[in-house]
Amino acid sequence: MDTIGELFPDAHCELRHSNPFELTIAVLLSAQCTDETVNKVTLDLFAKYKRPEDYLSVPLEELEQDIRRIGLFRNKASNIQKLCQLLLDKFDGQIPEKHEQLVELPGVGRKTANVVVSNAFGVPAIAVDTHVERVSKRLV
């Protein structure tokens, strides 16, 4: 890991967030979308919604409108509300720190979990896009 750190000393998460919960929501929104667009949407989103309860206190249609500029916004809004409910039911409203618990959350796959554990909790992990995986498989 030191070699990667030396090669990319200024590497950091481009998604704006102030805590693990916001990071998880931002990464979930980033699928099929640019970080720039996600950052524009989350500027207002994170001002309006601070906790899982806040996302659950509005109708799904309102949340959909709040993230409408994001691709797949209907599915992502649904996953956000399901994720928030599971956080409250199973994890005391907190983002879990373990990868295997993160991937239990709706809308959170291995890549999202890797981004969250590495950026929010300092666990060494690399998030690899599918197109990078395809290229690396061809090289092997």
Side-chain angles (χ1 to χ4, degrees):
M1 223 28 157
D2 290 335
T3 303
I4 291 175
E6 290 168 16
L7 290 172
F8 304 100
D10 298 323
H12 65 281
C13 181
E14 296 291 331
L15 297 170
R16 289 193 206 115
H17 62 282
S18 61
N19 57 55
F21 178 62
E22 287 184 356
L23 176 62
T24 304
I25 298 296
V27 178
L28 187 151
L29 291 173
S30 72
Q32 305 295 312
C33 190
T34 66
D35 290 350
E36 181 180 357
T37 300
V38 172
N39 285 336
K40 287 177 185 176
V41 169
T42 56
L43 187 65
D44 294 330
L45 194 72
F46 294 160
K48 182 176 181 178
Y49 303 100
K50 305 285 186 197
R51 306 167 304 130
E53 295 89 345
D54 299 332
Y55 286 92
L56 295 169
S57 70
V58 299
L60 179 60
E61 295 76 21
E62 183 174 341
L63 180 55
E64 288 175 351
Q65 289 306 310
D66 290 337
I67 65 170
R68 190 171 187 84
R69 291 186 286 170
I70 301 282
L72 308 170
F73 68 91
R74 285 188 179 92
N75 188 42
K76 290 176 183 181
S78 176
N79 279 336
I80 288 170
Q81 285 193 331
K82 290 174 188 171
L83 177 149
C84 288
Q85 189 62 60
L86 188 58
L87 285 179
L88 293 172
D89 293 346
K90 189 170 181 178
F91 299 107
D92 295 321
Q94 301 298 312
I95 295 294
E97 295 185 25
K98 294 183 177 178
H99 190 276
E100 57 273 10
Q101 293 173 317
L102 279 164
V103 296
E104 292 179 37
L105 301 174
V108 176
R110 293 176 320 164
K111 177 183 167 189
T112 297
N114 281 346
V115 172
V116 173
V117 297
S118 65
N119 287 281
F121 304 118
V123 176
I126 297 174
V128 178
D129 271 331
T130 55
H131 62 272
V132 174
E133 288 176 11
R134 278 186 248 124
V135 169
S136 64
K137 286 178 183 174
R138 278 188 246 141
L139 295 174
V140 175

